[in-house]
Amino acid sequence: MAFVMPLVFSVWNALLNNFVVEKAQFSGAEIGMLQSLREVPGFLAFTAVFLLLVLKEQTLALIALAIMCIGVAATGWLPFELGLYCTTVLMSIGFHYFETINQSLTLQWLDKDKAAHFMGKQLAVKSFASLLAYGSIWILMEWYEVSYTIVYMLAGGVGLIIVCLLWASFDTFSHGTTQHKHMFLRKRYWLYYALVFFSGARRQIFMVFASFMMVEKFGYSVGDISLLFIINYVFNLLFAPKIGKWISRIGERRALTIEYLGLLIVFISYALVDDSRIAAGLYIVDHLFFAMAIAVKTYFQKIADHKDFASTAGVSFTINHIAAVVIPALLGIVWLGSPSLVFYIGAGFAFCSLCLALNIPNTPCLGNEVVKNPLFWANQIQVNKNL
């Protein structure tokens, strides 16, 4: 499942900006609205817990993947504003329900000391699938001039075939601890909720406006965008498992502090860049930093009650998408007046995340969710005294 999701979604994502500009004449306002609509199913991801009353998590994950594939396959047939909004929402329903269940199952099935490394390996598998998708796009569209419609149909069709094979080939696995199947917010998870919220806000700047800048400001073609994505995922394929091990070694607080400092610099640089090659370099560095977000999930795994994983996965996706539903549309309007201001706002989100990361304990666990003194240096001094 970790392979098929990015195989299909990467095609949709890589073609989107060029497709909507060339075929539907979208401006920043329309692309912002489309991306906001795409995030609405993510905002409603908490409803997955109610579906679990009648479906097993593994079954729901496969159904969600199938829906995503159908949405991608239909995209090329509706190259106008309303049609693109509809296919985007359909694709997004499948994508976000799958990601919710995927996070829940991963946290349930993995030991805490192995989770970060495994998530790194899982990210490497996703990167391989994405590389296959982007390489296929580059060959089909640059060499053979295949149409958008055919490429979308191929991606969705191949994905749907793989999902059917997964359905037929694998038994239903044991889930271990029975999960809570009702909604709740726990006060002791407040730091995790806050990290997830700002992660969703930052991610929109990267996914929507950084890539849109490459097309609108620097004139990147579909082939150029695909090659840029290929470079990103080669880095993930090579380094993601090592990043997972590295997070296990240095701890979540240090890993996230490094990530957010790096993203702060990257977003400010986006606002100032005028050279297409430097912009491409920033985009690659940006993507590499996002691989370190594994640390947020492993932090939650360490502080959470095992029965809370399924329900909290849905709640966290909703929290992640509170900002995501609003930000693309609002910043799409801001983009029309000042693209640089969009990235300065992204830098502000990164700074907020940095402040939150300093509240993570050195050794997070159930009962030790947040440092008693939120100042990083003060807490570090106390740890050194204990040692």
Side-chain angles (χ1 to χ4, degrees):
M1 290 192 294
F3 174 83
V4 69
M5 188 281 290
L7 180 70
V8 179
F9 178 75
S10 294
V11 172
W12 181 88
N13 191 45
L15 296 181
L16 178 66
N17 287 308
N18 293 85
F19 183 61
V20 299
V21 170
E22 294 176 20
K23 301 298 182 181
Q25 290 75 50
F26 273 24
S27 68
E30 286 83 15
I31 192 68
M33 179 58 69
L34 182 143
Q35 294 288 1
S36 285
L37 289 172
R38 183 175 72 87
E39 300 298 355
V40 169
F43 179 73
L44 298 175
F46 69 90
T47 58
V49 74
F50 301 121
L51 293 176
L52 295 179
L53 294 171
V54 294
L55 292 171
K56 293 183 180 295
E57 286 178 275
Q58 187 174 329
T59 302
L60 179 56
L62 289 169
I63 291 173
L65 274 178
I67 291 172
M68 183 191 72
C69 293
I70 293 169
V72 171
T75 299
W77 294 99
L78 302 169
F80 51 90
E81 188 173 349
L82 181 59
L84 287 168
Y85 290 164
C86 291
T87 55
T88 295
V89 169
L90 181 63
M91 179 280 301
S92 183
I93 289 171
F95 174 87
H96 285 101
Y97 271 71
F98 169 74
E99 283 297 297
T100 300
I101 302 303
N102 176 52
Q103 177 175 314
S104 172
L105 291 178
T106 301
L107 295 179
Q108 287 178 60
W109 287 347
L110 295 177
D111 295 331
K112 293 179 182 179
D113 59 340
K114 299 177 181 177
H117 185 210
F118 179 85
M119 288 181 188
K121 291 195 293 184
Q122 191 180 49
L123 190 56
V125 170
K126 292 179 179 180
S127 298
F128 175 73
S130 298
L131 279 172
L132 181 61
Y134 295 132
S136 299
I137 290 171
W138 188 66
I139 292 171
L140 290 172
M141 301 196 74
E142 291 290 303
W143 290 12
Y144 296 102
E145 299 182 351
V146 175
S147 69
Y148 286 105
T149 303
I150 292 176
V151 175
Y152 276 127
M153 282 290 292
L154 280 173
V158 169
L160 195 57
I161 290 170
I162 295 174
V163 171
C164 292
L165 291 174
L166 291 176
W167 194 303
S169 301
F170 288 93
D171 295 328
T172 301
F173 297 104
S174 172
H175 291 177
T177 304
T178 302
Q179 296 292 296
H180 291 304
K181 295 179 181 179
H182 59 273
M183 304 308 302
F184 56 80
L185 290 171
R186 300 208 190 283
K187 184 178 179 180
R188 60 190 177 87
Y189 298 159
W190 75 264
L191 181 55
Y192 171 69
Y193 296 147
L195 287 167
V196 166
F197 174 81
F198 281 103
S199 174
R202 288 192 326 275
R203 184 171 53 86
Q204 295 310 305
I205 309 292
F206 171 70
M207 289 191 65
V208 179
F209 297 103
S211 55
F212 192 68
M213 175 182 68
M214 299 298 179
V215 176
E216 186 181 70
K217 184 175 181 179
F218 297 113
Y220 276 43
S221 67
V222 171
D224 296 330
I225 293 293
S226 297
L227 286 175
L228 191 58
F229 280 130
I230 286 171
I231 294 170
N232 283 341
Y233 286 106
V234 166
F235 273 95
N236 272 356
L237 185 62
L238 296 176
F239 297 115
K242 294 181 176 64
I243 289 174
K245 281 187 175 180
W246 177 72
I247 291 171
S248 295
R249 188 170 65 252
I250 70 168
E252 286 79 9
R253 184 177 67 185
R254 290 178 181 174
L256 290 175
T257 298
I258 293 169
E259 178 192 355
Y260 299 146
L261 278 171
L263 289 175
L264 179 61
I265 295 170
V266 167
F267 279 126
I268 293 173
S269 301
Y270 274 144
L272 301 173
V273 68
D274 286 317
D275 186 286
S276 62
R277 291 167 295 182
I278 295 175
L282 290 171
Y283 195 80
I284 293 168
V285 172
D286 195 349
H287 194 273
L288 191 60
F289 275 125
F290 269 90
M292 296 168 65
I294 290 170
V296 175
K297 296 179 181 179
T298 58
Y299 163 66
F300 174 69
Q301 186 188 35
K302 290 178 179 179
I303 68 170
D305 187 313
H306 203 78
K307 295 179 180 179
D308 292 349
F309 288 149
S311 182
T312 305
V315 171
S316 67
F317 262 80
T318 295
I319 292 171
N320 183 273
H321 289 80
I322 291 173
V325 170
V326 178
I327 282 174
L330 290 180
L331 294 189
I333 297 171
V334 173
W335 181 272
L336 299 177
S338 176
S340 295
L341 181 57
V342 171
F343 295 116
Y344 284 129
I345 293 171
F349 293 149
F351 178 75
C352 292
S353 295
L354 175 62
C355 294
L356 290 168
L358 298 181
N359 286 273
I360 297 176
N362 283 317
T363 55
C365 61
L366 192 63
N368 185 33
E369 296 89 2
V370 183
V371 295
K372 298 300 183 290
N373 188 333
L375 295 177
F376 175 84
W377 61 270
N379 191 57
Q380 190 64 49
I381 290 171
Q382 184 62 43
V383 171
N384 290 336
K385 284 181 179 178
N386 292 339
L387 292 175

